[in-house]
Amino acid sequence: MQDILSLLKLAATVLVPAVTVKAQCPDYSIYSQQRHEPFSTGKYSLPYMRPEPACRMFNSSDVEDAIVAMKDVIKDPDLYRLFENSFPNSLDTAVKWKGVSASNAEEELTFLITGDINAMWLRDSANQMQSYLTLLKPNTSTSSLASLYRGVINLQARYILSAPHCNSFQPPIESGLSPTRNQELPDNFTPPISNATVFECKYELDSLAAFLEISTNYYQATGDVAFFARFEWVRAVQIILETTEALLVGMYASNGSVNAVPYTWMRTTTSGTETLSNSGRGNPVQDGTGLVRSAFRPSDDATIYQLFIPANMMFSRYLDSASEIMAAIGGQRNLANHMHNFSQSIRRAVTQHGIVNDPTYGQVYAFEVDGFGSANRMDDANIPSLLSAPFIGYLNATDAVYQNTRRFILSKDNPYYMRGPVINAVGGPHVSFGYAWPMASIVRIFTTSSASEIQTTLTELVSSTAGLGLIHESINCFDEGDWTRQWFSWANGLFGQCLLDLKERVPGVLGASYQ
Ligand SMILES: *[C@@H]1O[C@H](CO)[C@@H](O)[C@H](O)[C@H]1NC(C)=O
Ligand SMILES: *[C@@H]1O[C@H](CO)[C@@H](O)[C@H](O)[C@H]1NC(C)=O
Ligand SMILES: *[C@@H]1O[C@H](CO)[C@@H](O)[C@H](O)[C@H]1NC(C)=O
Ligand SMILES: *[C@@H]1O[C@H](CO)[C@@H](O)[C@H](O)[C@H]1NC(C)=O
Ligand SMILES: *[C@@H]1O[C@H](CO)[C@@H](O)[C@H](O)[C@H]1NC(C)=O
Ligand SMILES: *[C@@H]1O[C@H](CO)[C@@H](O)[C@H](O)[C@H]1NC(C)=O
């Protein structure tokens, strides 16, 4: 093991041009709260929110070309402005550092921050890159989108190998960036990890699924199987399997003894969703269900029952697709079969334990179950959600149980469906009652082909940015001026991705007026 100084020296000798934003560039967390000219010509008069070119963190001519090409497709000036601002947001603002590993100059690394928080989430970074998936092509250049993808996958692999139960991470040592302080009082969790490596260590099954998702996306777009054999990818997948298989454990062994759980978490907080009951272990779950536990949701809120269905769906789906990468690598047949088997067994468990009967809606997916017979019936805005099941590729939108579930989610019977004159969408306990999440509106669009449903939803999105022309995290359903997170890159990229998808699927809605 090399010491840090010699690693840094090595890094200096193999340095590729790192991102250097000019000193006079404004802080985007402030820039994103001010209206910049020129304004769009529609009734919402939306500002131009991209940083000036010299202040952008990554340039891609493919992305610029896609933005220009959409100008002929999106006829409404305000909708086009919202697209133009949001789609490039992750490249413009979140590529905090790009370089190579100190121990291997061939290993690209991308530190991609979530936006207003200076840390890299496994889930956010995988999804931020997914916004540009349709533009991804094989390319060995370090200034390509492909390189950005490889850098995120390599850094995620490093993070997972160092702390497989954690959700959000500090900059790599090679970047020279300092770690960011999260909580005033340190969190109390097992297994323990240094706060120099980890920004937050909430165990969320979907974080591990996100690594398999971005891997699948890169592989399917580029066919670059050699990349996966070269660095830490295979080892990271092995750690993911070990970690998740250990989390199949229930609260009690068959003889009644209390099982040790591989992960515990407690935070000093006044918020119930930030900590776990039962001395950091959470509520009990039944043994032997075949579902993998998740202590937290993709909102970073604690689960009520740890057998969280949306993350099991997502993990099963991407474990299976990633098994194809493993099979293609050569010499990893057993591991590939193991991944496929585990994926299928989770899918069977979701069907067996995750579907409940509702007197109004019929058979529906539960959000969380405990395996003892209790189910938490709700949906939350963050992806993976139940609403997003077709978007994550677990099932088809035409699936009958999904359609029943969708009707339930988008009704007053979902305890977290937020309604009002400004916007109607799923929210969640993360921000609280009365705040709808644009991200859930976007997922609603992704999962329907009804032009009228899409247009109604787009109308709400265009008209509810409080004149700022960006996608916010949540919006008060009765007051567009009351919103959260001015700089949430994932939601912005997702909106751009959604309009590119509509161009292929339901192009008519992009020719409509939203005035
Ligand atoms: C992006 O391009 C602009 C010129 O259009 C340049 O000033 C800026 O430095 C570039 N950003 C990066 C990260 O290379
Ligand atoms: C690879 O990416 C670079 C940087 O974006 C670009 O200049 C080049 O044209 C790309 N090569 C191919 C073959 O697409
Ligand atoms: C790490 O934890 C120590 C001890 O609580 C604290 O003094 C330090 O500021 C923390 N560093 C970061 C980056 O959070
Ligand atoms: C009960 O089962 C657990 C798990 O299989 C085992 O570790 C433990 O030794 C058993 N205890 C007794 C008293 O048999
Ligand atoms: C996968 O499951 C099949 C049938 O259940 C079994 O025969 C096979 O050994 C398993 N393979 C691995 C690698 O777990
Ligand atoms: C969706 O439907 C298509 C066509 O019927 C089928 O080939 C595909 O496997 C289905 N996808 C899933 C995830 O079930």
Side-chain angles (χ1 to χ4, degrees):
M1 178 107 191
Q2 284 167 293
D3 64 66
I4 284 169
L5 257 184
S6 66
L7 279 178
L8 281 176
K9 243 183 268 154
L10 190 59
T13 59
V14 296
L15 213 61
V16 297
V19 179
T20 43
V21 169
K22 292 203 184 114
Q24 67 268 33
C25 285
D27 176 349
Y28 198 73
S29 61
I30 294 160
Y31 196 83
S32 53
Q33 297 185 64
Q34 302 157 339
R35 285 166 50 80
H36 305 278
E37 291 188 60
F39 302 127
S40 63
T41 55
K43 79 170 182 190
Y44 300 110
S45 183
L46 297 181
Y48 183 74
M49 300 300 279
R50 296 187 69 184
E52 65 169 274
C55 294
R56 296 179 189 163
M57 312 289 264
F58 188 86
N59 294 314
S60 163
S61 55
D62 292 332
V63 169
E64 298 306 327
D65 291 348
I67 294 170
V68 171
M70 285 293 268
K71 197 165 175 64
D72 293 333
V73 179
I74 304 175
K75 302 292 186 209
D76 185 276
D78 295 328
L79 183 63
Y80 181 69
R81 176 55 57 81
L82 190 53
F83 171 76
E84 190 182 14
N85 287 340
S86 60
F87 181 53
N89 190 263
S90 288
L91 300 188
D92 284 351
T93 69
V95 184
K96 190 80 181 177
W97 179 81
K98 187 174 183 308
V100 296
S101 164
S103 56
N104 183 348
E106 308 271 279
E107 186 182 350
E108 294 149 293
L109 298 175
T110 307
F111 182 61
L112 186 62
I113 60 171
T114 172
D116 47 13
I117 307 169
N118 204 4
M120 176 159 154
W121 263 254
L122 295 177
R123 166 180 51 257
D124 287 44
S125 58
N127 285 295
Q128 283 166 281
M129 290 312 302
Q130 197 183 67
S131 322
Y132 311 111
L133 181 57
T134 55
L135 308 177
L136 174 62
K137 295 181 294 249
N139 194 324
T140 54
S141 160
T142 55
S143 10
S144 63
L145 282 176
S147 170
L148 216 50
Y149 260 89
R150 288 189 295 269
V152 171
I153 295 170
N154 285 332
L155 187 55
Q156 287 200 354
R158 179 193 286 190
Y159 288 150
I160 288 166
L161 287 168
S162 67
H165 298 98
C166 303
N167 58 326
S168 163
F169 293 84
Q170 302 285 10
I173 185 89
E174 292 91 338
S175 68
L177 298 167
S178 340
T180 301
R181 187 83 184 260
N182 185 356
Q183 297 292 305
E184 198 53 43
L185 292 169
D187 297 319
N188 177 358
F189 57 93
T190 59
I193 305 286
S194 159
N195 65 359
T197 306
V198 157
F199 177 77
E200 186 169 74
C201 195
K202 288 176 173 168
Y203 162 63
E204 299 163 359
L205 175 59
D206 79 283
S207 295
L208 299 174
F211 175 72
L212 303 173
E213 171 190 68
I214 187 174
S215 300
T216 297
N217 287 346
Y218 177 78
Y219 174 67
Q220 290 181 348
T222 65
D224 183 6
V225 69
F227 163 72
F228 293 94
R230 283 177 79 192
F231 307 110
E232 302 285 7
W233 190 80
V234 173
R235 274 214 313 136
V237 172
Q238 281 169 325
I239 290 292
I240 288 174
L241 289 171
E242 275 173 34
T243 305
T244 49
E245 283 172 346
L247 283 149
L248 291 166
V249 70
M251 207 58 249
Y252 311 100
S254 52
N255 62 13
S257 70
V258 177
N259 286 326
V261 287
Y263 169 86
T264 63
W265 165 277
M266 285 182 284
R267 170 172 283 177
T268 305
T269 174
T270 54
S271 170
T273 52
E274 290 293 313
T275 192
L276 299 183
S277 57
N278 291 305
S279 312
R281 293 172 295 180
N283 291 320
V285 300
Q286 181 62 289
D287 205 33
T289 61
L291 292 167
V292 182
R293 299 166 78 130
S294 191
F296 288 86
R297 300 172 182 164
S299 57
D300 301 333
D301 299 327
T303 49
I304 291 173
Y305 301 127
Q306 295 197 348
L307 306 180
F308 175 53
I309 299 301
N312 275 275
M313 289 175 164
M314 180 180 177
F315 186 67
S316 169
R317 181 260 185 260
Y318 285 109
L319 192 59
D320 204 28
S321 54
S323 77
E324 290 166 22
I325 309 176
M326 198 61 89
I329 280 178
Q332 298 292 355
R333 252 293 146 202
N334 283 346
L335 199 47
N337 286 341
H338 183 160
M339 292 164 76
H340 174 73
N341 273 12
F342 190 21
S343 162
Q344 296 304 307
S345 124
I346 295 170
R347 183 176 277 276
R348 284 192 296 273
V350 166
T351 303
Q352 189 185 340
H353 299 281
I355 298 176
V356 295
N357 207 45
D358 181 287
T360 307
Y361 299 93
Q363 290 216 303
V364 294
Y365 283 105
F367 190 59
E368 297 167 350
V369 297
D370 67 357
F372 295 111
S374 290
N376 179 12
R377 299 278 318 286
M378 60 171 275
D379 203 27
D380 183 283
N382 283 266
I383 306 171
S385 56
L386 292 175
L387 188 62
S388 71
F391 175 72
I392 60 179
Y394 181 77
L395 44 67
N396 283 313
T398 51
D399 180 282
V401 179
Y402 173 74
Q403 278 300 323
N404 293 343
T405 311
R406 194 174 190 278
R407 274 195 301 280
F408 160 76
I409 292 167
L410 301 175
S411 81
K412 64 179 173 47
D413 294 326
N414 169 8
Y416 289 98
Y417 186 62
M418 306 303 175
R419 293 165 293 143
V422 173
I423 180 168
N424 294 269
V426 180
H430 193 73
V431 175
S432 201
F433 309 127
Y435 290 80
W437 285 49
M439 173 174 282
S441 301
I442 298 168
V443 171
R444 178 174 192 163
I445 295 173
F446 267 116
T447 55
T448 183
S449 46
S450 154
S452 63
E453 185 178 3
I454 295 170
Q455 282 181 237
T456 304
T457 310
L458 282 177
T459 302
E460 291 184 355
L461 287 168
V462 176
S463 63
S464 65
T465 74
L468 289 169
L470 288 168
I471 302 293
H472 292 140
E473 177 193 48
S474 77
I475 300 163
N476 184 329
C477 297
F478 288 81
D479 176 6
E480 66 164 314
D482 179 18
W483 47 265
T484 60
R485 288 192 78 183
Q486 68 272 29
W487 179 16
F488 182 20
S489 283
W490 172 20
N492 280 285
L494 187 71
F495 181 71
Q497 182 183 342
C498 179
L499 296 203
L500 290 178
D501 178 61
L502 286 176
K503 177 173 171 241
E504 305 305 319
R505 251 178 358 103
V506 199
V509 298
L510 298 182
S513 167
Y514 293 90
Q515 298 299 304

